[in-house]
Each structure stands twice: as C-alpha cells, then as structure tokens.
C-alpha cells in the first residue's frame, strides 16, 4: 500500500469565474446610466393639440406639470368628464394652490422665480377647466404658464 495516490485522469476543468464580478458591475453601471425613470403615470387621455410655433423648454427640472383630460380606459370609474391630474393623483381645482406651494418648497429659494407651470391639456378638453386652472394659478402668483403641444400644422389634425 502506498502513501501517495495518483490523480485520476480525465474530467472537465472548472470554469474560471474571476472576471464575473467585473462583468456584473459593468452591466449594472450601464443600466443605471441608460435607464430613464418615468416621472408620472398618466391616468387621463392626453392627446395634445398641434401648434406651428413651438419652443423647447431649456430646464425641465424647473417645470411643474398639470394634466387635464378625460380619465383613460383604466380609470373610467372616475367618470367621463375632464379631470385634473397633479403628479400621480386626480385633484380638484382647489388643490392646485397646495400643489404649487409644495413644488416651490421642494426647490431652492433662488430657483423659485424661474419655476414654470406647464399645462398638458387634452385637445378634446373644454376651455372651462383650463380657465379655472389659470384662475387658481393667478391666486398663488404662478404667472409663468406654458401650454405643451405637439409640433405640426393646426389645420392637419
């Protein structure tokens, strides 16, 4: 009987996993950089009207969005009349003042004068709700208003 045994030949060598953590972190970094986070989930129909003279906003982080339109198919339990959506929830016209105050409080004090309110209103929405929104914005002194539209000819809808 010998003290040393000979290795049995054959068998598959083990897979080298030394580079695996590098590859995983590279993929993680790529997806962190390339992913865009959605800001709001729309609960309303939002077919924007067309306009032929359109300008792009420079700083989108200084924009507060107010959506208006009929509830989408998933939210028909809220009715068929045009509704206002602030962030991810339906709201009343009276809730706009608190929404503007909260948005102003979340920004630095020197940026507050540059805040713009963007109205994303469905093309089929009556102007009465838009007038009510504008009245509330006047009450809280949010006078910089932007109407968001699609670029195109007004006559070719």
């Amino acid at each position: 009987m010998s003290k040393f045994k000979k290795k049995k030949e054959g068998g598959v060598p083990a897979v080298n996993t030394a580079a695996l953590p590098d590859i995983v972190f590279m993929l993680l970094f790529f997806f962190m950089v390339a992913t865009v986070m959605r800001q709001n989930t729309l609960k309303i129909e939002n077919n924007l009207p067309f306009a032929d003279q359109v300008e792009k906003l420079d700083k989108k982080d200084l924009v507060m969005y107010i959506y208006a339109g009929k509830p989408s198919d998933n939210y028909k339990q809220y009715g068929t009349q045009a509704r206002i959506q602030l962030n991810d929830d339906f709201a009343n016209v009276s809730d706009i003042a608190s929404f503007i105050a909260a948005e102003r409080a979340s920004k630095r004090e020197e940026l507050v004068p540059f805040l713009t309110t963007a109205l994303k209103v469905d093309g089929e929405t009556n102007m009465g709700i838009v007038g009510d929104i504008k009245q509330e914005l006047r009450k809280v002194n949010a006078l910089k208003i932007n109407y968001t539209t699609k670029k195109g000819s007004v006559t070719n809808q």
Side-chain angles (χ1 to χ4, degrees):
M1 203 150 126
S2 67
K3 280 188 156 184
F4 301 105
K5 295 184 179 179
K6 291 185 178 181
K7 290 185 178 179
K8 296 181 181 177
E9 292 189 26
V12 180
V15 176
N16 186 6
T17 59
L20 190 61
D22 294 336
I23 294 170
V24 168
F25 283 115
M26 216 170 18
L27 285 171
L28 179 68
F29 182 72
F30 170 77
F31 285 114
M32 284 174 50
V33 170
T35 302
V36 177
M37 301 301 282
R38 183 175 16 162
Q39 289 186 340
N40 293 323
T41 303
L42 283 181
K43 296 181 179 181
I44 61 166
E45 294 177 7
N46 201 276
N47 292 328
L48 298 175
F50 289 95
D52 55 0
Q53 296 180 4
V54 179
E55 294 181 25
K56 283 191 111 175
L57 288 174
D58 293 333
K59 296 185 178 184
K60 298 220 179 205
D61 59 333
L62 297 176
V63 179
M64 304 171 286
Y65 292 100
I66 298 176
Y67 303 94
K70 295 178 184 177
S72 63
D73 293 333
N74 297 337
Y75 300 97
K76 288 295 182 189
Q77 67 265 23
Y78 294 104
T80 58
Q81 295 287 35
R83 302 284 309 258
I84 297 172
Q85 180 181 341
L86 304 173
N87 290 334
D88 284 335
D89 294 322
F90 287 117
N92 294 323
V93 176
S94 59
D95 297 332
I96 293 175
S98 61
F99 169 73
I100 297 294
E103 289 290 320
R104 286 178 176 167
S106 69
K107 304 292 184 200
R108 293 194 323 249
E109 189 175 336
E110 61 268 11
L111 296 177
V112 170
F114 301 108
L115 287 175
T116 303
T117 305
L119 299 179
K120 287 192 170 188
V121 181
D122 185 54
E124 299 295 320
T125 304
N126 293 332
M127 281 302 291
I129 196 166
V130 176
D132 294 342
I133 293 171
K134 288 173 56 177
Q135 287 296 335
E136 281 296 314
L137 291 173
R138 284 186 195 125
K139 289 179 186 175
V140 293
N141 202 24
L143 303 177
K144 291 178 81 175
I145 298 175
N146 173 19
Y147 294 97
T148 306
T149 63
K150 293 179 186 176
K151 188 170 184 154
S153 176
V154 178
T155 58
N156 297 335
Q157 292 187 19

PDB file of all heavy atoms in Angstrom, residues 93-94 96-97 100 104 131-143:
ATOM      1  N   VAL A  93     -59.768  71.625  -8.583  1.00  0.00           N
ATOM      2  CA  VAL A  93     -59.151  72.922  -8.870  1.00  0.00           C
ATOM      3  C   VAL A  93     -58.611  73.549  -7.593  1.00  0.00           C
ATOM      4  O   VAL A  93     -57.558  74.193  -7.599  1.00  0.00           O
ATOM      5  CB  VAL A  93     -60.178  73.852  -9.559  1.00  0.00           C
ATOM      6  CG1 VAL A  93     -59.612  75.228  -9.790  1.00  0.00           C
ATOM      7  CG2 VAL A  93     -60.627  73.244 -10.881  1.00  0.00           C
ATOM      8  N   SER A  94     -59.280  73.317  -6.477  1.00  0.00           N
ATOM      9  CA  SER A  94     -58.834  73.906  -5.205  1.00  0.00           C
ATOM     10  C   SER A  94     -57.522  73.304  -4.697  1.00  0.00           C
ATOM     11  O   SER A  94     -56.860  73.888  -3.853  1.00  0.00           O
ATOM     12  CB  SER A  94     -59.921  73.731  -4.150  1.00  0.00           C
ATOM     13  OG  SER A  94     -60.209  72.358  -3.966  1.00  0.00           O
ATOM     14  N   ILE A  96     -54.833  72.924  -6.490  1.00  0.00           N
ATOM     15  CA  ILE A  96     -53.707  73.455  -7.264  1.00  0.00           C
ATOM     16  C   ILE A  96     -52.832  74.358  -6.409  1.00  0.00           C
ATOM     17  O   ILE A  96     -51.601  74.319  -6.503  1.00  0.00           O
ATOM     18  CB  ILE A  96     -54.218  74.190  -8.525  1.00  0.00           C
ATOM     19  CG1 ILE A  96     -54.854  73.173  -9.470  1.00  0.00           C
ATOM     20  CG2 ILE A  96     -53.108  74.954  -9.216  1.00  0.00           C
ATOM     21  CD1 ILE A  96     -55.494  73.770 -10.693  1.00  0.00           C
ATOM     22  N   ALA A  97     -53.434  75.148  -5.533  1.00  0.00           N
ATOM     23  CA  ALA A  97     -52.650  76.069  -4.694  1.00  0.00           C
ATOM     24  C   ALA A  97     -51.681  75.297  -3.796  1.00  0.00           C
ATOM     25  O   ALA A  97     -50.502  75.664  -3.674  1.00  0.00           O
ATOM     26  CB  ALA A  97     -53.584  76.935  -3.850  1.00  0.00           C
ATOM     27  N   ILE A 100     -48.795  73.848  -5.957  1.00  0.00           N
ATOM     28  CA  ILE A 100     -47.790  74.858  -6.312  1.00  0.00           C
ATOM     29  C   ILE A 100     -46.915  75.179  -5.094  1.00  0.00           C
ATOM     30  O   ILE A 100     -45.696  75.294  -5.209  1.00  0.00           O
ATOM     31  CB  ILE A 100     -48.463  76.136  -6.859  1.00  0.00           C
ATOM     32  CG1 ILE A 100     -49.232  75.830  -8.151  1.00  0.00           C
ATOM     33  CG2 ILE A 100     -47.455  77.254  -7.080  1.00  0.00           C
ATOM     34  CD1 ILE A 100     -48.374  75.415  -9.314  1.00  0.00           C
ATOM     35  N   ARG A 104     -42.890  74.631  -4.906  1.00  0.00           N
ATOM     36  CA  ARG A 104     -41.981  75.733  -4.577  1.00  0.00           C
ATOM     37  C   ARG A 104     -41.134  75.407  -3.362  1.00  0.00           C
ATOM     38  O   ARG A 104     -39.957  75.771  -3.296  1.00  0.00           O
ATOM     39  CB  ARG A 104     -42.785  77.010  -4.324  1.00  0.00           C
ATOM     40  CG  ARG A 104     -43.328  77.632  -5.581  1.00  0.00           C
ATOM     41  CD  ARG A 104     -44.143  78.859  -5.269  1.00  0.00           C
ATOM     42  NE  ARG A 104     -44.597  79.518  -6.495  1.00  0.00           N
ATOM     43  CZ  ARG A 104     -45.511  80.453  -6.534  1.00  0.00           C
ATOM     44  NH1 ARG A 104     -46.111  80.860  -5.416  1.00  0.00           N
ATOM     45  NH2 ARG A 104     -45.865  80.996  -7.678  1.00  0.00           N
ATOM     46  N   GLY A 131     -59.595  77.537 -17.902  1.00  0.00           N
ATOM     47  CA  GLY A 131     -59.803  78.842 -17.277  1.00  0.00           C
ATOM     48  C   GLY A 131     -59.790  78.755 -15.759  1.00  0.00           C
ATOM     49  O   GLY A 131     -59.232  79.630 -15.086  1.00  0.00           O
ATOM     50  N   ASP A 132     -60.399  77.698 -15.207  1.00  0.00           N
ATOM     51  CA  ASP A 132     -60.383  77.509 -13.752  1.00  0.00           C
ATOM     52  C   ASP A 132     -58.968  77.290 -13.238  1.00  0.00           C
ATOM     53  O   ASP A 132     -58.591  77.824 -12.187  1.00  0.00           O
ATOM     54  CB  ASP A 132     -61.269  76.318 -13.357  1.00  0.00           C
ATOM     55  CG  ASP A 132     -62.732  76.564 -13.649  1.00  0.00           C
ATOM     56  OD1 ASP A 132     -63.119  77.744 -13.821  1.00  0.00           O
ATOM     57  OD2 ASP A 132     -63.491  75.573 -13.702  1.00  0.00           O
ATOM     58  N   ILE A 133     -58.175  76.508 -13.975  1.00  0.00           N
ATOM     59  CA  ILE A 133     -56.779  76.276 -13.575  1.00  0.00           C
ATOM     60  C   ILE A 133     -56.003  77.579 -13.598  1.00  0.00           C
ATOM     61  O   ILE A 133     -55.240  77.890 -12.673  1.00  0.00           O
ATOM     62  CB  ILE A 133     -56.131  75.224 -14.510  1.00  0.00           C
ATOM     63  CG1 ILE A 133     -56.767  73.856 -14.304  1.00  0.00           C
ATOM     64  CG2 ILE A 133     -54.632  75.153 -14.288  1.00  0.00           C
ATOM     65  CD1 ILE A 133     -56.354  72.814 -15.332  1.00  0.00           C
ATOM     66  N   LYS A 134     -56.209  78.379 -14.644  1.00  0.00           N
ATOM     67  CA  LYS A 134     -55.496  79.660 -14.749  1.00  0.00           C
ATOM     68  C   LYS A 134     -55.891  80.614 -13.623  1.00  0.00           C
ATOM     69  O   LYS A 134     -55.044  81.349 -13.105  1.00  0.00           O
ATOM     70  CB  LYS A 134     -55.747  80.280 -16.116  1.00  0.00           C
ATOM     71  CG  LYS A 134     -55.009  79.542 -17.229  1.00  0.00           C
ATOM     72  CD  LYS A 134     -55.373  80.023 -18.611  1.00  0.00           C
ATOM     73  CE  LYS A 134     -55.152  81.491 -18.792  1.00  0.00           C
ATOM     74  NZ  LYS A 134     -55.430  81.954 -20.150  1.00  0.00           N
ATOM     75  N   GLN A 135     -57.168  80.623 -13.218  1.00  0.00           N
ATOM     76  CA  GLN A 135     -57.604  81.468 -12.104  1.00  0.00           C
ATOM     77  C   GLN A 135     -56.889  81.074 -10.810  1.00  0.00           C
ATOM     78  O   GLN A 135     -56.445  81.928 -10.045  1.00  0.00           O
ATOM     79  CB  GLN A 135     -59.122  81.378 -11.915  1.00  0.00           C
ATOM     80  CG  GLN A 135     -59.929  82.081 -12.969  1.00  0.00           C
ATOM     81  CD  GLN A 135     -59.709  83.582 -12.965  1.00  0.00           C
ATOM     82  OE1 GLN A 135     -59.334  84.187 -11.967  1.00  0.00           O
ATOM     83  NE2 GLN A 135     -59.946  84.197 -14.111  1.00  0.00           N
ATOM     84  N   GLU A 136     -56.772  79.760 -10.561  1.00  0.00           N
ATOM     85  CA  GLU A 136     -56.082  79.298  -9.353  1.00  0.00           C
ATOM     86  C   GLU A 136     -54.603  79.647  -9.408  1.00  0.00           C
ATOM     87  O   GLU A 136     -54.007  79.994  -8.381  1.00  0.00           O
ATOM     88  CB  GLU A 136     -56.254  77.780  -9.183  1.00  0.00           C
ATOM     89  CG  GLU A 136     -57.585  77.386  -8.619  1.00  0.00           C
ATOM     90  CD  GLU A 136     -57.804  77.887  -7.205  1.00  0.00           C
ATOM     91  OE1 GLU A 136     -56.904  77.752  -6.349  1.00  0.00           O
ATOM     92  OE2 GLU A 136     -58.886  78.439  -6.954  1.00  0.00           O
ATOM     93  N   LEU A 137     -54.004  79.561 -10.578  1.00  0.00           N
ATOM     94  CA  LEU A 137     -52.591  79.911 -10.706  1.00  0.00           C
ATOM     95  C   LEU A 137     -52.369  81.400 -10.464  1.00  0.00           C
ATOM     96  O   LEU A 137     -51.352  81.796  -9.899  1.00  0.00           O
ATOM     97  CB  LEU A 137     -52.067  79.504 -12.085  1.00  0.00           C
ATOM     98  CG  LEU A 137     -51.969  77.993 -12.331  1.00  0.00           C
ATOM     99  CD1 LEU A 137     -51.594  77.719 -13.785  1.00  0.00           C
ATOM    100  CD2 LEU A 137     -50.974  77.364 -11.388  1.00  0.00           C
ATOM    101  N   ARG A 138     -53.316  82.227 -10.876  1.00  0.00           N
ATOM    102  CA  ARG A 138     -53.211  83.665 -10.589  1.00  0.00           C
ATOM    103  C   ARG A 138     -53.271  83.938  -9.098  1.00  0.00           C
ATOM    104  O   ARG A 138     -52.578  84.814  -8.584  1.00  0.00           O
ATOM    105  CB  ARG A 138     -54.332  84.420 -11.293  1.00  0.00           C
ATOM    106  CG  ARG A 138     -54.111  84.598 -12.764  1.00  0.00           C
ATOM    107  CD  ARG A 138     -55.182  85.480 -13.388  1.00  0.00           C
ATOM    108  NE  ARG A 138     -55.124  85.340 -14.825  1.00  0.00           N
ATOM    109  CZ  ARG A 138     -56.138  84.989 -15.584  1.00  0.00           C
ATOM    110  NH1 ARG A 138     -57.322  84.769 -15.047  1.00  0.00           N
ATOM    111  NH2 ARG A 138     -55.995  84.880 -16.881  1.00  0.00           N
ATOM    112  N   LYS A 139     -54.128  83.191  -8.376  1.00  0.00           N
ATOM    113  CA  LYS A 139     -54.269  83.408  -6.936  1.00  0.00           C
ATOM    114  C   LYS A 139     -52.972  83.135  -6.181  1.00  0.00           C
ATOM    115  O   LYS A 139     -52.683  83.793  -5.189  1.00  0.00           O
ATOM    116  CB  LYS A 139     -55.374  82.510  -6.366  1.00  0.00           C
ATOM    117  CG  LYS A 139     -56.763  82.926  -6.779  1.00  0.00           C
ATOM    118  CD  LYS A 139     -57.786  81.973  -6.207  1.00  0.00           C
ATOM    119  CE  LYS A 139     -59.188  82.271  -6.711  1.00  0.00           C
ATOM    120  NZ  LYS A 139     -60.159  81.275  -6.244  1.00  0.00           N
ATOM    121  N   VAL A 140     -52.189  82.154  -6.649  1.00  0.00           N
ATOM    122  CA  VAL A 140     -50.937  81.822  -5.966  1.00  0.00           C
ATOM    123  C   VAL A 140     -49.729  82.458  -6.645  1.00  0.00           C
ATOM    124  O   VAL A 140     -48.583  82.119  -6.338  1.00  0.00           O
ATOM    125  CB  VAL A 140     -50.744  80.292  -5.852  1.00  0.00           C
ATOM    126  CG1 VAL A 140     -51.774  79.695  -4.945  1.00  0.00           C
ATOM    127  CG2 VAL A 140     -50.736  79.637  -7.206  1.00  0.00           C
ATOM    128  N   ASN A 141     -49.976  83.376  -7.573  1.00  0.00           N
ATOM    129  CA  ASN A 141     -48.942  84.152  -8.251  1.00  0.00           C
ATOM    130  C   ASN A 141     -47.991  83.255  -9.057  1.00  0.00           C
ATOM    131  O   ASN A 141     -46.790  83.490  -9.087  1.00  0.00           O
ATOM    132  CB  ASN A 141     -48.173  85.026  -7.261  1.00  0.00           C
ATOM    133  CG  ASN A 141     -47.506  86.186  -7.947  1.00  0.00           C
ATOM    134  OD1 ASN A 141     -47.929  86.617  -9.015  1.00  0.00           O
ATOM    135  ND2 ASN A 141     -46.434  86.688  -7.346  1.00  0.00           N
ATOM    136  N   ALA A 142     -48.521  82.221  -9.680  1.00  0.00           N
ATOM    137  CA  ALA A 142     -47.746  81.377 -10.593  1.00  0.00           C
ATOM    138  C   ALA A 142     -48.105  81.818 -12.008  1.00  0.00           C
ATOM    139  O   ALA A 142     -48.973  81.240 -12.656  1.00  0.00           O
ATOM    140  CB  ALA A 142     -48.072  79.909 -10.367  1.00  0.00           C
ATOM    141  N   LEU A 143     -47.446  82.864 -12.475  1.00  0.00           N
ATOM    142  CA  LEU A 143     -47.855  83.531 -13.700  1.00  0.00           C
ATOM    143  C   LEU A 143     -47.099  83.064 -14.942  1.00  0.00           C
ATOM    144  O   LEU A 143     -47.457  83.447 -16.051  1.00  0.00           O
ATOM    145  CB  LEU A 143     -47.705  85.041 -13.534  1.00  0.00           C
ATOM    146  CG  LEU A 143     -48.478  85.637 -12.348  1.00  0.00           C
ATOM    147  CD1 LEU A 143     -48.216  87.120 -12.215  1.00  0.00           C
ATOM    148  CD2 LEU A 143     -49.966  85.353 -12.495  1.00  0.00           C
TER     149      LEU A 143
END
